[in-house]
Amino acid sequence: MTSATQWSVSTAASVLLDAETSRADRGPITADWPGLDLSTAYDVQAELIARKVAAGQHIVGVKLGLTSRAKQLRMGVDSPLTAWLTDAMSLPIGVPLDTSELIHPRVEPEIVFVLGRELSGPGITAAQAMESVDAVYAGLEVIDSRYTDFKFTLPDVVADNASSARFVIGGLKRRPAELDLALEACVLQVDGAVVDTATGAAVEGHPAEALALAANALGRRGVVLRAGWTVLTGGLTDAVFIRPGQQVSAEFTHLGTVTLGAE
């Protein structure tokens, strides 16, 4: 095991990428590197994504993690976080999830924004954030922590790019003005059985608050959200495991239904 004196941003990024590539989970990095704080964890996340981009992937957006109280309670943390989406994470509608590529995938329903123009924080309000949104979709995110049993501290999960793995976006496009996103309801089903329900208010009270949070947090690090980017605003419910042969679907009031099967 790497000793505390040997750990660095580069080392941590390598360890996490190796775990993802080999599909072998591990204990939290903070157990071996107690000095990993939140700021350094975001440096690890940036290094990890930079390596993926250097390998040919492209950044297509951002995601919010742990925005719902259900998720925070489930993971034993008390604040949301930001992370990155790349094109390699995107699954077309109807394409099954290949679970052999992942460690222990879970799925959660999301309200998804596509930006029509740049959004630059800090100082952005929820109302200002919504002005940048071109379209709203239903979505499912597949998370796949590189940590055993999804047990980690906030710096651990930030370094691991918020457990990002895959995502799928529904085919029904809505304009923001057509929706009351705080009241937009979602029913999550596994193989046709209802396992959870929620509304958009589960995400920071309103998904626009999550978008503003992302713009402001990234803005403080000198990052601008780009036009055309996808934003996953955060899991509405606790995530559910998905196994080969299963099908997970999220049925929304006005955003339609998005479904993901696994093989």
Side-chain angles (χ1 to χ4, degrees):
M1 184 58 66
T2 305
S3 70
T5 57
Q6 293 175 300
W7 281 96
S8 67
V9 167
S10 178
T11 302
S14 294
V15 164
L16 290 168
L17 284 171
D18 287 347
E20 181 178 352
T21 301
S22 64
R23 299 184 295 281
D25 54 352
R26 54 156 291 131
I29 290 175
T30 51
D32 304 311
W33 187 17
L36 179 65
D37 58 17
L38 191 57
S39 176
T40 307
Y42 274 112
D43 291 339
V44 175
Q45 182 190 101
E47 173 66 17
L48 187 151
I49 294 301
R51 294 189 192 185
K52 291 190 174 189
V53 169
Q57 296 185 32
H58 302 282
I59 293 174
V60 296
V62 299
K63 60 167 277 187
L64 275 291
L66 309 183
T67 50
S68 75
R69 188 58 183 155
K71 287 287 294 180
Q72 291 172 11
L73 288 171
R74 173 69 178 81
M75 298 306 178
V77 299
D78 58 6
S79 60
L81 52 91
T82 60
W84 296 99
L85 303 175
T86 73
D87 57 338
M89 301 175 189
S90 179
L91 283 174
I93 295 174
V95 173
L97 176 71
D98 185 351
T99 57
S100 71
E101 297 177 346
L102 304 173
I103 302 169
H104 42 194
R106 294 178 176 179
V107 183
E108 57 192 28
E110 305 253 351
I111 291 174
V112 182
F113 293 148
V114 174
L115 301 184
R117 64 187 190 192
E118 283 191 354
L119 182 60
S120 179
I124 295 295
T125 66
Q128 290 170 330
M130 285 305 295
E131 291 175 359
S132 71
V133 176
D134 176 64
V136 186
Y137 297 87
L140 291 170
E141 184 188 7
V142 180
I143 58 174
D144 190 40
S145 176
R146 270 53 72 171
Y147 303 118
T148 304
D149 297 330
F150 277 78
K151 292 182 178 178
F152 43 67
T153 67
L154 189 58
D156 286 306
V157 70
V158 166
D160 191 32
N161 198 43
S163 307
S164 298
R166 305 286 187 272
F167 66 93
V168 59
I169 298 174
L172 182 59
K173 176 181 178 178
R174 293 287 192 184
R175 299 295 182 187
E178 300 174 330
L179 305 164
D180 185 338
L181 289 176
L183 296 179
E184 182 70 14
C186 171
V187 177
L188 183 66
Q189 300 181 60
V190 178
D191 292 336
V194 175
V195 295
D196 211 342
T197 62
T199 67
V203 178
E204 294 291 303
H206 192 291
E209 296 287 353
L211 178 59
L213 185 153
N216 292 330
L218 291 168
R220 285 189 287 271
R221 302 201 295 273
V223 178
V224 175
L225 277 69
R226 302 297 181 186
W229 273 8
T230 295
V231 180
L232 304 186
T233 59
L236 294 169
T237 69
D238 198 4
V240 295
F241 280 111
I242 184 169
R243 297 175 175 86
Q246 288 187 320
Q247 180 173 278
V248 177
S249 65
E251 181 180 354
F252 288 79
T253 307
H254 301 100
L255 293 173
T257 300
V258 57
T259 300
L260 177 65
E263 62 181 18

